[in-house]
Amino acid sequence: LINSYYLIATFYFKKENYKQSKEHLKKGINICKNNKIEDVSLFYLVNLLNVIEVESEILPTNETIINLNLQLALSEKIFKKNSYEYFIAIGKIASYYMKIEDIKNAEEYILKTLDIAESLYGKTNDNYIIAINNVVRFYINYNNLINADFYNEIGLKIVLEKYGNRHKEYLNFLSDKATIKINLGKYKEAAKIYDECIGLAKDLYGRNSEFYGTMISNSVEPYLKLGGSFENAEKLFLIDLEITKKHYGLKHPKTAMCYTRLGNTNSSMKKDEIAIEYFLKAKQIFNDLKLENLEYANLLSFLGTEYLLIEKHEEAEKYYQESYLIKSERLKKNDLTKLIILNNLFL
């Protein structure tokens, strides 16, 4: 019966029906708890439940950290600390703390994953390389550029020694290096690195690959900072849009992000009506997917600004209000983006 619940939950998980998946997982977990079963069956039920809670758009609850700690305890009891399962459990707790914006605890746990990966596999194993890349991106996301650069250089050195400079892992670290340079305001260095990334992505994956489109899109910021035209930037974003649609279809968050970038580019060119068209295309995707995350809230804020610029104040207020409500649920009370939206509401 427990295995049946797990199989049904996995079926719904693959269909991205997370609500149904969670219901069946919880039924299986309750059977285990009621019968005092603490074995591999319970571990995998809790593991999948935590994947849904931490990695999907579902907001964590008080129950989430309880289940995460249960997975950690089970992984230690069944597989021991020096195990892949324990490594995964620690990583999920790090993801949870990142999701709720608890940076101090997130940093503690993500660094633990690096220590565990080193003890399990050594510094040249792919799992260690993935772990150090996650650390780099954590520090980039929270603008700790000194630590991001420190760990990225370590990762680059390991990858170069293991694979050389024509490998996907080298491309990952090289792209992160460009991002660090952008955040440091070193746009010439970033542009040069992205030229290498674009060439490498083309050689490794081809011009129609997701990686090629991503590198093209990422190269736009330093290009613009160095005096490039928004017209050419739009052409680059359109290339990324076509590639993204081929890989993910018309109804995917990544496709929505492409439309959002095109909207912002046209906004910068003072083409407000065209910007609104792109933003509304992105909004439709979010609505069809029933996603109300921070990316969606930002999109609504962009729409509010565009309508304000063309003096359609009722529409502007509506979108600012919607954006503020979503951000109120997900961000801290003193978050700057919320204050900006509040200010716009009173314009």
Side-chain angles (χ1 to χ4, degrees):
L1 185 59
I2 294 170
N3 288 337
S4 296
Y5 281 128
Y6 180 77
L7 291 172
I8 296 169
T10 302
F11 169 79
Y12 283 120
F13 176 78
K14 289 179 179 178
K15 296 286 185 181
E16 296 187 3
N17 187 337
Y18 300 128
K19 183 178 179 181
Q20 285 288 337
S21 184
K22 282 178 65 176
E23 285 180 8
H24 285 86
L25 288 168
K26 286 181 178 180
K27 288 177 182 177
I29 290 168
N30 286 335
I31 291 172
C32 289
K33 287 181 176 178
N34 291 337
N35 292 278
K36 298 181 180 180
I37 298 170
E38 291 189 355
D39 62 5
V40 175
S41 299
L42 178 58
F43 173 82
Y44 285 115
L45 286 165
V46 175
N47 175 63
L48 185 55
L49 179 62
N50 288 335
V51 169
I52 294 170
E53 292 282 346
V54 172
E55 297 178 15
S56 74
E57 295 295 334
I58 295 172
L59 289 174
T61 63
N62 292 333
E63 188 181 5
T64 306
I65 192 62
I66 295 171
N67 286 323
L68 286 165
N69 284 321
L70 174 59
Q71 181 178 352
L72 187 64
L74 287 167
S75 64
E76 185 175 357
K77 178 181 178 181
I78 300 168
F79 303 101
K80 308 304 178 187
K81 274 192 175 182
N82 193 32
S83 67
Y84 175 74
E85 288 76 13
Y86 188 81
F87 168 66
I88 292 298
I90 290 288
K92 283 194 177 64
I93 294 176
S95 297
Y96 164 77
Y97 282 122
M98 282 187 274
K99 197 168 184 178
I100 65 168
E101 298 286 322
D102 185 339
I103 310 307
K104 184 179 178 181
N105 277 316
E107 181 178 25
E108 177 187 343
Y109 278 92
I110 202 163
L111 289 175
K112 279 184 181 180
T113 65
L114 194 59
D115 291 338
I116 295 168
E118 183 179 354
S119 66
L120 278 174
Y121 308 110
K123 287 188 174 183
T124 59
N125 182 273
D126 285 349
N127 284 317
Y128 181 83
I129 292 170
I130 292 169
I132 198 168
N133 194 233
N134 288 337
V135 170
V136 171
R137 292 180 180 181
F138 167 80
Y139 282 124
I140 289 174
N141 288 339
Y142 295 105
N143 210 35
N144 187 334
L145 301 178
I146 294 174
N147 283 354
D149 191 47
F150 173 77
Y151 284 105
N152 198 64
E153 289 302 315
I154 293 172
L156 268 173
K157 184 179 178 182
I158 293 169
V159 169
L160 274 170
E161 290 176 355
K162 183 174 182 179
Y163 296 116
N165 64 352
R166 311 300 296 172
H167 192 273
K168 63 179 182 179
E169 293 296 349
Y170 177 74
L171 177 59
N172 287 337
F173 283 99
L174 194 65
S175 174
D176 287 339
K177 184 173 184 177
T179 303
I180 293 166
K181 295 297 182 185
I182 289 172
N183 290 343
L184 289 170
K186 298 180 179 181
Y187 302 115
K188 284 185 179 180
E189 292 180 47
K192 185 177 179 180
I193 294 168
Y194 272 129
D195 284 343
E196 185 180 351
C197 288
I198 291 168
L200 184 54
K202 183 183 72 174
D203 293 344
L204 289 174
Y205 303 105
R207 286 182 179 272
N208 290 320
S209 70
E210 174 194 357
F211 298 95
Y212 182 76
T214 299
M215 292 304 115
I216 288 284
S217 178
N218 289 349
S219 71
V220 169
E221 185 175 354
Y223 168 78
L224 290 174
K225 293 291 186 181
L226 294 170
S229 70
F230 284 105
E231 288 78 8
N232 283 336
E234 183 180 22
K235 291 176 184 177
L236 294 174
F237 282 140
L238 284 168
I239 292 171
D240 184 34
L241 172 64
E242 291 308 309
I243 293 171
T244 302
K245 286 194 293 187
K246 285 178 183 177
H247 285 275
Y248 295 98
L250 298 175
K251 302 295 182 184
H252 194 277
K254 290 193 175 184
T255 307
M257 188 56 65
C258 290
Y259 283 127
T260 300
R261 291 193 191 104
L262 284 162
N264 283 325
T265 303
N266 278 276
S267 177
S268 298
M269 293 189 287
K270 311 299 181 187
K271 297 180 180 179
D272 299 312
E273 297 289 350
I274 297 175
I276 288 171
E277 286 181 21
Y278 279 124
F279 287 144
L280 288 175
K281 286 182 178 180
K283 180 179 180 295
Q284 187 61 54
I285 294 173
F286 279 106
N287 292 157
D288 290 344
L289 296 173
K290 297 180 180 178
L291 291 178
E292 290 192 354
N293 54 19
L294 290 177
E295 287 78 13
Y296 180 63
N298 288 333
L299 171 63
L300 294 175
S301 181
F302 297 150
L303 269 168
T305 299
E306 288 306 311
Y307 279 115
L308 193 64
L309 289 170
I310 62 174
E311 298 186 354
K312 291 189 175 181
H313 298 288
E314 287 186 11
E315 287 91 340
E317 182 178 6
K318 179 184 74 171
Y319 286 120
Y320 281 138
Q321 286 279 13
E322 286 183 39
S323 179
Y324 179 75
L325 288 173
I326 294 169
K327 291 195 174 190
S328 294
E329 294 178 0
R330 289 162 173 78
L331 296 175
K332 297 173 183 176
K333 290 182 180 179
N334 61 346
D335 186 270
L336 179 60
T337 59
K338 282 172 58 180
L339 297 177
I340 291 170
I341 294 171
L342 273 177
N343 181 62
N344 288 333
L345 279 169
F346 290 103
L347 290 177

